[in-house]
Amino acid sequence: MKAVTYHGVGDFRLTDEPRPAVVGPADALVRITLGAICGSDLHIYHGNVPIDEGAILGHELVGVVEETGPEVRGLRRGDRAVAPFYTACGECAQCLRRWWSQCEERATFGFGAYFGGLGGAQAEYVVVPHANVNLAKIPDPVEDEQAIFVGDILATGFFAAERGEIRPGDTVAVVGAGPVGLMAVMCAHLFGPARVFAIDMVDSRLEMAGDLGAVPVDSRVTNAQAELQRQTGGLGADVVLECVGQLGAIGTAIDCVRGGGTISSVGVPSELTGDFPYYDMWNRDLTYRSGFTNVHAYLRPLLDLVASRRLRPDRIISHRMRLDEAVEAYGMFDRREATKIVLRP
Ligand SMILES: [Zn+2]
Ligand SMILES: [Zn+2]
């Protein structure tokens, strides 16, 4: 089968790889019908992630079940399904607490041996272990181009919004209007805020955020904190959803929230440690949450929200390309010429 594989920093290639096979009793072999390139793939592209030569890349996928092990229930050959970007075992103490993201056996698709040695989604086939837990059947009205978001960035946007504890009438600010930030804008609206601001510095992203019902704040020309205060009678936002992960963006989130407010951060932190305003957090009664998205908890509700058209995540797709064009697609994505690229094998 064809797959995108890692051969060094900035050196991704389309190569021929053996088709993976069902081995474990709860494995499912999935023929991928749609993959995508995600911002976190760029961390690999730039050499910021430990990964082995030849690893198959990609962690966003939808596909059709081809074959299942004897312990797989509720999924049959021919079913359309979406997988979270990582797998959980479904049986450990954390999985039983519904914290699949904290599973003792968590493994991520497309990140090589160091992250559990799963296959990748920028390929024609992938094996999904513990398929009873890690594959959700896609309801008929939901298209592949919508379902693919449920396994990763839509879930991340929802996780951010839910943990922000947005209440009806709140003012919400989203820091970063990249793909995850745009999902956070959409999901924030489910919780009934009066206004959602989106802070970014790229025209196309600000425009898309505006189309999705946010008030764009261009941080190239205006100070985000001052603008938020101006728009809220000097208070700041009730809730800030941080969707970048750079320490500067986390700083902006803390600056923009009102005293007593909540910051919910889902951007992958750019540094392992750094200065944290401990005194300010205490003095201003701030709540700070961050986290690796607990995707499994949201698969079913998000598929239902998409099926009922309350969420339209496919609106952010800017480029539809073939898996054969993946190398070119990475170049475009890296140069920020594309908001979201989906790849069809
Ligand atoms: Zn991703
Ligand atoms: Zn587990």
Side-chain angles (χ1 to χ4, degrees):
M1 67 167 186
K2 281 184 244 171
V4 183
T5 50
Y6 175 86
H7 296 274
V9 177
D11 184 6
F12 290 5
R13 300 178 198 164
L14 189 74
T15 52
D16 248 316
E17 302 295 326
R19 185 197 287 195
V22 166
V23 177
D27 284 358
L29 175 68
V30 173
R31 176 172 58 81
I32 294 168
T33 52
L34 196 68
I37 299 179
C38 174
S40 47
D41 292 322
L42 289 183
H43 296 309
I44 302 175
Y45 198 68
H46 293 139
N48 301 325
V49 175
I51 187 164
D52 41 315
E53 160 113 35
I56 300 177
L57 301 160
H59 58 267
E60 299 185 7
L61 73 109
V62 293
V64 174
V65 175
E66 283 270 310
E67 195 190 326
T68 54
E71 288 178 11
V72 177
R73 304 174 301 273
L75 279 168
R76 280 190 217 150
R77 185 182 160 85
D79 282 342
R80 295 167 63 231
V82 56
F85 68 91
Y86 61 90
T87 62
C89 75
E91 289 165 7
C92 71
Q94 292 286 27
C95 282
L96 294 177
R97 284 174 169 78
R98 300 178 59 81
W99 273 100
W100 294 275
S101 56
Q102 298 303 316
C103 174
E104 292 162 11
E105 289 180 34
R106 185 175 88 193
T108 305
F109 290 106
F111 272 72
Y114 189 78
F115 291 89
L118 295 180
Q122 290 158 10
E124 292 180 281
Y125 293 88
V126 70
V127 164
V128 178
H130 308 295
N132 295 322
V133 186
N134 299 310
L135 274 176
K137 226 161 134 171
I138 301 172
D140 278 340
V142 178
E143 292 160 21
D144 283 2
E145 289 191 357
Q146 299 171 318
I148 193 161
F149 293 100
V150 170
D152 187 352
I153 63 173
L154 183 60
T156 299
F158 193 91
F159 183 69
E162 187 184 68
R163 282 161 65 87
E165 297 188 331
I166 299 163
R167 288 193 279 194
D170 274 354
T171 294
V172 176
V174 175
V175 178
V180 172
L182 293 170
M183 296 293 145
V185 166
M186 281 185 231
C187 291
H189 280 111
L190 296 170
F191 295 86
R195 289 176 299 177
V196 178
F197 292 89
I199 302 162
D200 204 289
M201 45 178 75
V202 177
D203 289 329
S204 57
R205 293 174 168 195
L206 290 164
E207 201 177 304
M208 175 65 76
D211 289 347
L212 294 172
V215 181
V217 176
D218 184 344
S219 55
R220 289 167 303 189
V221 298
T222 178
N223 176 287
Q225 180 184 11
E227 180 63 13
L228 261 294
Q229 285 179 344
R230 192 179 70 77
Q231 300 254 15
T232 54
L235 274 178
D238 299 292
V239 176
V240 181
L241 310 180
E242 191 283 314
C243 301
V244 183
Q246 304 281 350
L247 297 193
I250 297 172
T252 298
I254 295 171
D255 289 343
C256 288
V257 75
R258 70 163 165 81
T262 298
I263 299 138
S264 175
S265 177
V266 292
V268 182
S270 59
E271 309 292 335
L272 295 179
T273 60
D275 290 334
F276 194 75
Y278 297 100
Y279 178 82
D280 221 27
M281 298 299 293
W282 172 81
N283 190 42
R284 295 175 59 213
D285 295 318
L286 299 185
T287 298
Y288 182 86
R289 287 204 178 86
S290 71
F292 184 106
T293 306
N294 190 25
V295 178
H296 298 63
Y298 306 110
L299 293 172
R300 182 49 45 189
L302 288 176
L303 284 167
D304 287 344
L305 284 161
V306 173
S308 65
R309 306 208 147 249
R310 294 206 52 202
L311 289 173
R312 290 287 313 274
D314 50 317
R315 287 181 65 178
I316 77 155
I317 296 174
S318 60
H319 293 73
R320 295 169 172 84
M321 298 174 75
R322 311 276 319 172
L323 182 62
D324 295 339
E325 302 170 296
V327 174
E328 187 192 335
Y330 266 103
M332 291 172 58
F333 194 59
D334 189 38
R335 294 190 298 272
R336 291 196 177 188
E337 292 163 14
T339 307
K340 186 70 186 179
I341 302 175
V342 292
L343 298 170
R344 204 169 283 279

